[in-house]
Amino acid sequence: MSLKLFYAPGACSFVPHAMLELTGAPFEPMMVKLHKGEQRSAEYLALNPRGQVPVLVDDGEVITQIVAILLHLDAKFPQAGILPAAGLARTRALSTLVWMNNTVHPTFTHVFMPQKFTDDEAAQKAIRAHAVQTYRGLLGEIEAMAVKASPWLAGDQPSALDAYALTLLRWGGYAGIDPTTLPATWALSQRFAALPAVARVIERERLQLNVYQPPTAA
């Protein structure tokens, strides 16, 4: 078996990165330095013409898009609990995972990269300000889920939902949202980060969980 995961530190690729480490399967982590434009290199574009992370290469087969990668890993390593195995629990977990990916995640893109949506600087500021408020509300929805976690978002095993919740909460710090104001999600993320396999990923990616910087006094 040959597995390679192309990831960027702190990006959404953290989710399959953490899940793959939790499986215990051997794989080769391949760092892509977005700040250096490595995702636009000819070599990387040959793997993923969209120039995005993550990318999973499984015995030469290239798989892109985070939900597709997670479903592939879940099928390959069913014992790892990447998602619940069956029934309504699996359906609900998939519903939450897809919502995180197609709603919460893109909202943060409007915060972090408003220039993708307009070249007007004033409009960029307005897009970012509006997106920050929307993102705060979406994190509030995750907080409500974390309050009910038993003990994890998908039940008795840590799953992709917990990895994505950690990622989205961490990004909130860049949007000026103090993660400690969402105490259930913050506690969940700390517990997830403390799992030995996840701790290895955090060390490999050199992540700081709380990146929030309080505003300085004028």
Side-chain angles (χ1 to χ4, degrees):
M1 180 175 63
S2 172
L3 283 169
K4 287 185 180 180
L5 180 73
F6 291 81
Y7 74 95
C12 65
S13 50
F14 173 82
V15 183
H17 195 178
M19 291 297 101
L20 196 44
E21 193 74 46
L22 277 167
T23 69
F27 73 99
E28 189 174 358
M30 307 290 290
M31 184 189 295
V32 180
K33 297 176 182 176
L34 300 182
H35 66 285
K36 292 190 175 181
E38 291 180 354
Q39 73 278 19
R40 296 189 293 273
S41 69
E43 295 81 5
Y44 194 76
L45 290 174
L47 279 177
N48 185 355
R50 297 187 182 102
Q52 297 172 332
V53 293
V55 169
L56 180 71
V57 181
D58 185 352
D59 283 334
E61 295 295 328
V62 177
I63 304 164
T64 64
Q65 297 298 316
I66 188 169
V67 173
I69 290 170
L70 291 168
L71 288 172
H72 181 79
L73 292 175
D74 183 55
K76 195 176 187 75
F77 305 107
Q79 77 288 349
I82 292 170
L83 290 165
L88 191 56
R90 182 175 179 85
T91 300
R92 286 176 172 162
L94 275 170
S95 175
T96 300
L97 175 66
V98 172
W99 171 77
M100 288 174 164
N101 184 244
N102 71 18
T103 300
V104 191
H105 186 155
T107 300
F108 182 74
T109 304
H110 285 73
V111 174
F112 200 59
M113 293 185 286
Q115 69 276 9
K116 291 186 69 172
F117 307 99
T118 179
D119 58 5
D120 184 291
E121 290 188 9
Q124 288 173 14
K125 290 180 181 178
I127 286 171
R128 186 182 191 280
H130 183 268
V132 166
Q133 294 307 312
T134 303
Y135 195 72
R136 191 184 302 273
L138 295 170
L139 288 182
E141 291 189 48
I142 295 173
E143 174 73 1
M145 297 177 198
V147 167
K148 298 177 182 178
S150 58
W152 304 101
L153 289 179
D156 59 0
Q157 276 189 275
S159 74
L161 301 187
D162 305 295
Y164 224 147
L166 182 154
T167 299
L168 296 169
L169 182 67
R170 182 177 175 275
W171 290 352
Y174 294 114
I177 301 168
D178 183 350
T180 64
T181 62
L182 298 150
T185 315
W186 179 235
L188 177 83
S189 296
Q190 288 179 300
R191 285 193 288 113
F192 186 74
L195 298 172
V198 179
R200 289 193 294 272
V201 173
I202 288 173
E203 182 178 4
R204 186 179 297 134
E205 296 198 13
R206 298 182 178 180
L207 297 185
Q208 178 182 339
L209 286 187
N210 189 346
V211 298
Y212 170 72
Q213 295 290 331
T216 56

